[in-house]
Structure formats: structure tokens, C-alpha cells
Amino acid sequence: MAALVADRNTPMRDGELIPVPVKSGVKIYAGAIVVADGGYAKPGVKAENLVYLGRAEEQVDNTAAGAKDGDKSVLLRRGRAFKWVNAAGNGAVGQAEFGKKVYIVDDQTVTKTAAGASDTGAAVVVGIESDGVWIG
């Protein structure tokens, strides 16, 4: 491939709503935190080396016997701020975390503390309310 020497009509698509193949053996609920595990979507969990993707726009069940990675896809919304449940106790996100990265506890909860050096970070805090934490 060579560099451009003329204008190019580069294809584009909206990156806000994207379909992502689902990992086998998992069920993703609408409204859940979704992470990538080896390139496949699964519900958010506290684990290392996963990538935060966004919020599931639909429920998808890829748990049927014989289901393989990618047999189903889930529609995800990205590029927006979402309000998630704030962890309790020492992990609770407070005003001091505004603008900092938070970490995933499960498919609806975030915390300010990482258990390991490569725990899955969600995104940065953009708002804190009594009933949840906005991250985006």
C-alpha cells in the first residue's frame, strides 16, 4: 500500500451504536456494563485485562448448548456518559475521584479501587450523585 496521492472517499459509520460479537456461555442484560474479553462482549466483571466497551442496548443470551464465541452479537452504545451504581464502603467513588478513572465491579457497579495493577478500568468520572456515578 502506498500513501495517498489524491483525495479519497473514506467510508464511515456512526461509532455510537455498534454490534459486537458475544462470548460463548454468557448472557448480557440490556443496560449492563459490557467489556471485551479476547475481542468478544461479555457482562462487566472485576477482572484483569478486559476492556470497557459501553452499555448494552439489548439483552442477548449466548448460553445455549453448543454456542460459540460470536454466534450472537449485542448492540452497544458508546461515546456517552452512563450512570452506574457506586460501590459501597472503602471503594465508594467520591468527589475526590472526579476526572479520574474508576474500575468495574460487576455489570452495573463501579469502584475507585483496583484490586490488581491491570484491573479493568471503565472510564473517567464526570458526575457523582446520591444514587450513582456518571462515567464517560
Side-chain angles (χ1 to χ4, degrees), residues 1-9:
M1 288 264 154
L4 290 175
V5 294
D7 294 341
R8 178 177 190 262
N9 184 11

Side-chain angles (χ1 to χ4, degrees), residues 13-22 34 39-41 53 55 57-58 60 70 72-78:
R13 67 179 181 182
D14 183 343
E16 185 177 328
L17 286 173
I18 59 170
V20 179
V22 176
V34 177
Y40 294 95
L53 294 176
R55 181 188 73 189
E57 291 297 293
E58 60 188 346
V60 176
K72 296 196 177 182
S73 290
V74 62
L75 189 62
L76 295 181
R77 185 169 303 273
R78 299 175 45 85

Side-chain angles (χ1 to χ4, degrees), residues 55-69:
R55 181 188 73 189
E57 291 297 293
E58 60 188 346
Q59 183 183 118
V60 176
D61 188 345
N62 200 25
T63 61
K68 296 181 187 86
D69 289 345

Side-chain angles (χ1 to χ4, degrees), residues 20-38:
V20 179
V22 176
K23 190 153 187 73
S24 67
V26 301
K27 183 174 188 177
I28 299 172
Y29 291 96
I33 293 173
V34 177
V35 296
D37 183 359

